[in-house]
Amino acid sequence: MKKKFDVLVQGAGMVGATTALALARNGFSVGLVERQNLDLLNGLLADEIDNRVSAISPASQKLLQELGVWHDVTSQRCSDYFKMKVWHENGSALMQFSSEQIGISHLGSIVENRLLQSVLLQHLKHLPNVQFFKQQEVTSVQQLDNRVQINTTAKAVLEAELLIAADGRGSTIRELLNLPVTSGNYAQTAIVANVNTEKFHENTAWQRFLTTGPLAFLPLSNGQSSIVWSADTERADELLQLPEEDFRLQLAEAFEFRLGQITATSQRMGFPLSWHTADKWLEGRVLLMGDAAHGVHPLAGQGVNLGFADVAALQILLKPGQPAYQRRVLRGFERQRKAETVTATHLFSALKLCYAQEAPLLCGVRNAGMSIVEKSSIIKRLVLQSAVHNMS
Ligand SMILES: Cc1cc2nc3c(=O)[nH]c(=O)nc-3n(C[C@H](O)[C@H](O)[C@H](O)COP(=O)(O)OP(=O)(O)OC[C@H]3O[C@@H](n4cnc5c(N)ncnc54)[C@H](O)[C@@H]3O)c2cc1C
């Protein structure tokens, strides 16, 4: 039997689940299709902090607070950071940013992706106007005159005014509709792990730019740090395969022993790095959001924050009592959000390129630039304000 909704969302990741919650709170009926077994996310929080964490900006926290979920995240496990320290391997300039400089309580919070996702799902479960379609995915999309219809692998036939693809980088819906993507490969892999350090992380997000790629240490609530070490693919493969003791030493050296020795490390995971922007975010009654629409380098910790900014913008536009599909409104959404994410994508690519330069003249210019930022409270405020407000 055919089931009808105002909105269908494919993908119950952080962006899809937040979209479903925001639209359900605005009174829309929502069908949420997810290929994974979401029940695996239930239950008690694991003792060990998961490897996959995100720096959640204050702007994203505001959205999550308004949706009533942020408290349930922070009451379980979350680590606020108050400072950022950024420097380059070639040069002495160090840029330091703090929440006090722009008069906010903290610059961001490090949260496990699966914790945030499971809290969102718990909230969705209690809403009568949300229905889950778990462990299935869309096999076909048909754009009808005034509806969009999908078939799923579990033989469900679902219809809605609007279909939102929040199914991540490799979006199946984007592929099914043959929507072109502009993309690039950084030929790098990001290594992710949680590590124990000799010295306390000072609730600071640290980033050292090496010519081979950025290395970040993000503070976790249990005193560990989550590292994101981006390096050219071949070098990253070597690092991923090193015996643990050798890896710990190379990591501490790459980080100039700023937090002393690395005394333990979790399992390492590698993520190939690329960027992409879908050329069209709105095709008929299908709208792309989050990583399905855009993907950036993780060096600025903005990927999911840009996705949350998509949700915040959509929630304001799709007001309670109005139709879910309003072509002019959704075109406006596409124009506004695409402009912002394209700017962010190019900015992060340019930053990565700038920090990869080894030529002495360019190193000099880069160091001079970093010193100017460090000495200018106005520039620092501007940098910080764009970071905490998700680039806008
Ligand atoms: C190393 C690394 C570090 C990062 N650090 C940060 C950070 O600090 N801050 C930050 O803002 N961002 C960060 N990011 C980016 C961030 O992880 C992503 O932007 C974010 O996960 C995107 O969320 P999403 O919900 O759009 O997509 P996803 O997280 O990919 O979720 C997609 C969901 O859709 C489901 N799905 C996929 N295909 C289908 C299908 N065919 N049918 C049904 N369901 C489907 C998946 O199972 C999943 O649940 C980082 C990324 C990397 C790689």
Side-chain angles (χ1 to χ4, degrees), residues 10-17 33-36 38 52-56 110 113 117 136-138 166-173 190-192 218 228 271-273 289-292 294 296 298 300-307:
Q10 168 151 290
M14 291 184 283
V15 174
V33 183
E34 165 62 50
R35 75 169 160 209
Q36 284 186 43
L38 299 173
R52 294 302 316 272
V53 300
S54 297
I56 304 296
I110 311 297
N113 295 2
Q117 193 189 4
Q136 51 194 298
E137 58 185 284
V138 174
D167 47 357
R169 282 186 170 241
S171 170
T172 316
I173 292 183
I191 299 168
V192 171
L218 305 173
V228 185
F271 296 87
L273 296 181
M289 288 180 59
D291 272 22
H294 48 78
V296 296
Q302 285 293 333
V304 79
N305 289 306
L306 289 169

Side-chain angles (χ1 to χ4, degrees), residues 170-189:
S171 170
T172 316
I173 292 183
R174 207 181 57 210
E175 305 250 304
L176 281 172
L177 295 177
N178 270 326
L179 296 180
V181 170
T182 304
S183 62
N185 192 333
Y186 291 112
Q188 288 202 326
T189 296

Side-chain angles (χ1 to χ4, degrees), residues 18-290:
T18 310
T19 305
L21 189 59
L23 295 182
R25 288 271 159 78
N26 274 7
F28 296 99
S29 61
V30 180
L32 183 55
V33 183
E34 165 62 50
R35 75 169 160 209
Q36 284 186 43
N37 181 358
L38 299 173
D39 298 336
L40 294 178
L41 284 166
N42 287 342
L44 293 171
L45 211 53
D47 286 344
E48 288 191 1
I49 296 186
D50 192 46
N51 267 3
R52 294 302 316 272
V53 300
S54 297
I56 304 296
S57 71
S60 302
Q61 291 177 28
K62 183 169 173 280
L63 169 74
L64 296 165
Q65 236 154 24
E66 284 164 2
L67 291 173
V69 294
W70 187 243
H71 176 261
D72 290 354
V73 173
T74 54
S75 63
Q76 295 188 62
R77 203 151 62 192
C78 168
S79 170
D80 295 343
Y81 59 94
F82 308 96
K83 288 188 185 151
M84 282 195 300
K85 293 189 180 176
V86 181
W87 72 106
H88 196 278
E89 67 169 322
N90 295 330
S92 53
L94 169 75
M95 292 189 292
Q96 300 193 68
F97 303 92
S98 81
S99 51
E100 283 164 12
Q101 283 158 351
I102 51 168
I104 57 171
S105 61
H106 56 292
L107 292 178
S109 308
I110 311 297
V111 172
E112 284 154 89
N113 295 2
R114 70 175 180 196
L115 168 62
L116 181 45
Q117 193 189 4
S118 91
V119 169
L120 285 161
L121 295 173
Q122 288 301 327
H123 279 254
L124 282 166
K125 265 190 193 162
H126 293 111
L127 296 180
N129 53 341
V130 176
Q131 192 174 344
F132 285 92
F133 297 90
K134 296 180 216 165
Q135 289 178 277
Q136 51 194 298
E137 58 185 284
V138 174
T139 51
S140 68
V141 178
Q142 291 121 50
Q143 306 251 19
L144 309 173
D145 280 349
N146 55 3
R147 311 285 286 171
V148 55
Q149 181 179 303
I150 63 169
N151 293 68
T152 78
T153 41
K155 308 258 182 281
V157 183
L158 313 174
E159 219 183 73
E161 282 183 45
L162 177 68
L163 167 63
I164 293 178
D167 47 357
R169 282 186 170 241
S171 170
T172 316
I173 292 183
R174 207 181 57 210
E175 305 250 304
L176 281 172
L177 295 177
N178 270 326
L179 296 180
V181 170
T182 304
S183 62
N185 192 333
Y186 291 112
Q188 288 202 326
T189 296
I191 299 168
V192 171
N194 293 343
V195 302
N196 293 50
T197 51
E198 207 179 351
K199 296 186 197 161
F200 180 55
H201 52 48
E202 300 170 18
N203 297 104
T204 297
W206 309 74
Q207 181 129 252
R208 182 178 191 222
F209 282 93
L210 301 143
T211 45
T212 49
L215 167 59
F217 273 59
L218 305 173
L220 298 176
S221 55
N222 62 357
Q224 286 186 304
S225 296
S226 158
I227 62 141
V228 185
W229 189 357
S230 306
D232 295 342
T233 310
E234 212 175 302
R235 168 78 177 132
D237 286 345
E238 270 169 34
L239 290 168
L240 281 165
Q241 275 153 32
L242 278 180
E244 187 184 320
E245 209 171 311
D246 298 350
F247 177 75
R248 284 198 261 130
L249 187 61
Q250 294 209 19
L251 176 63
E253 277 171 3
F255 199 56
E256 291 185 313
F257 298 93
R258 293 265 169 154
L259 296 178
Q261 298 286 350
I262 309 295
T263 53
T265 166
S266 71
Q267 184 203 359
R268 285 157 262 169
M269 295 165 84
F271 296 87
L273 296 181
S274 60
W275 62 269
H276 67 273
T277 313
D279 296 354
K280 277 176 113 180
W281 291 24
L282 181 68
E283 174 71 5
R285 288 174 174 267
V286 179
L287 181 70
L288 307 182
M289 288 180 59

Side-chain angles (χ1 to χ4, degrees), residues 281-282 287 317 327-343:
W281 291 24
L282 181 68
L287 181 70
L317 292 172
R327 189 179 149 74
R328 199 179 47 79
V329 167
L330 295 175
R331 275 268 171 258
F333 167 86
E334 179 190 35
R335 259 195 313 277
Q336 180 214 332
R337 293 302 308 143
K338 196 171 162 193
E340 196 175 305
T341 52
V342 166
T343 308

